[in-house]
């Protein structure tokens, strides 16, 4: 995982719940690639048409509310979402994302300052968000070093496998 992520902003609204991120009617799917084909389908059925791997989701408040199922994070990560920036996240979604290696950055005023399609550069260690389209900078919250390390390994499982192999 790189400290700096570049991608196009895909802007969504507030209170995006896990059923909108990954509709429950697909729960029987088990292969991550099959799951990823339904990313954000409950928000916008054409989401994957306006999205490219490596893009950054910019959301309003309370992204990831709803159930504790990890499917929501798995679908976004497998679809190729590089990071998510929002003023706030549902607590369990935030924890699932970090555990599965998907970077999230909180930024109080992100939704007012970013428009769909603008090119962003996000530095995870500082929380700085550069809008490359407008040449502006917004300060989000930086991620703690242990979270950055966990994300760099691809999530908590790979983190502990690696840490235990070093002993």
């Amino acid at each position: 995982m790189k400290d700096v992520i570049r991608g196009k902003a895909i802007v969504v609204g507030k209170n995006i719940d896990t059923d909108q991120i990954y509709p429950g009617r697909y729960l029987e799917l088990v292969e991550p690639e099959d799951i990823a084909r339904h990313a954000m389908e409950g928000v916008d059925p054409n989401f994957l048409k306006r999205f490219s791997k490596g893009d950054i989701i910019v959301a309003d408040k309370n992204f990831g509310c709803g159930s504790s199922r990890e499917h929501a994070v798995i679908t976004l990560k497998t679809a190729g979402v590089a990071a998510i920036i929002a003023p706030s996240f549902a607590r369990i979604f935030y924890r699932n994302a970090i555990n599965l290696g998907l970077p999230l950055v909180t930024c109080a005023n992100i939704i007012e300052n970013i428009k769909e399609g603008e090119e962003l550069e996000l530095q995870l260690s500082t929380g700085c968000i550069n809008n490359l389209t407008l040449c502006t900078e917004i300060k989000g919250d930086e991620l703690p070093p242990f979270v950055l390390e966990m994300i760099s390994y691809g999530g908590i499982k790979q983190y502990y496998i690696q840490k235990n192999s070093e002993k």
Side-chain angles (χ1 to χ4, degrees):
M1 164 68 49
K2 296 184 274 185
D3 184 40
V4 177
I5 296 170
R6 281 184 170 199
K8 181 179 67 179
I10 304 294
V11 178
V12 297
K14 64 182 166 184
N15 298 318
I16 303 298
D17 67 43
T18 53
D19 281 334
Q20 292 173 297
I21 297 167
Y22 184 69
R25 63 182 171 272
Y26 301 117
L27 283 176
E28 72 273 359
L29 299 176
V30 293
E31 297 299 326
E33 294 76 21
D34 294 335
I35 292 170
R37 287 189 198 109
H38 302 285
M40 302 293 281
E41 196 173 285
V43 176
D44 175 3
N46 295 314
F47 177 84
L48 291 177
K49 292 179 182 169
R50 63 183 177 127
F51 172 82
S52 299
K53 284 190 176 204
D55 285 348
I56 299 169
I57 291 178
V58 173
D60 205 337
K61 297 175 186 173
N62 201 26
F63 188 88
C65 57
S67 82
S68 61
R69 289 180 278 121
E70 293 178 332
H71 286 78
V73 175
I74 292 169
T75 191
L76 295 175
K77 188 173 178 186
T78 306
V81 172
I84 305 170
I85 307 168
S88 63
F89 295 91
R91 196 173 165 147
I92 190 69
F93 180 85
Y94 189 90
R95 187 175 185 147
N96 284 340
I98 300 302
N99 285 345
L100 292 170
L102 178 63
L104 306 179
V105 171
T106 55
C107 179
N109 55 354
I110 190 70
I111 200 74
E112 297 87 5
N113 291 292
I114 302 295
K115 291 186 176 49
E116 177 89 11
E118 292 178 342
E119 290 292 326
L120 305 180
E121 182 181 86
L122 168 64
Q123 185 169 16
L124 297 173
S125 62
T126 63
C128 287
I129 304 151
N130 291 310
N131 184 327
L132 302 175
T133 303
L134 301 177
C135 297
T136 58
E137 182 178 298
I138 306 166
K139 181 73 174 97
D141 296 333
E142 59 192 60
L143 294 174
F146 79 93
V147 170
L148 290 171
E149 187 176 10
M150 195 177 308
I151 290 170
S152 74
Y153 283 105
I156 194 166
K157 184 177 177 183
Q158 291 305 317
Y159 174 82
Y160 280 108
I161 289 171
Q162 184 63 36
K163 289 296 180 183
N164 284 328
S165 71
E166 294 172 359
K167 292 181 180 177

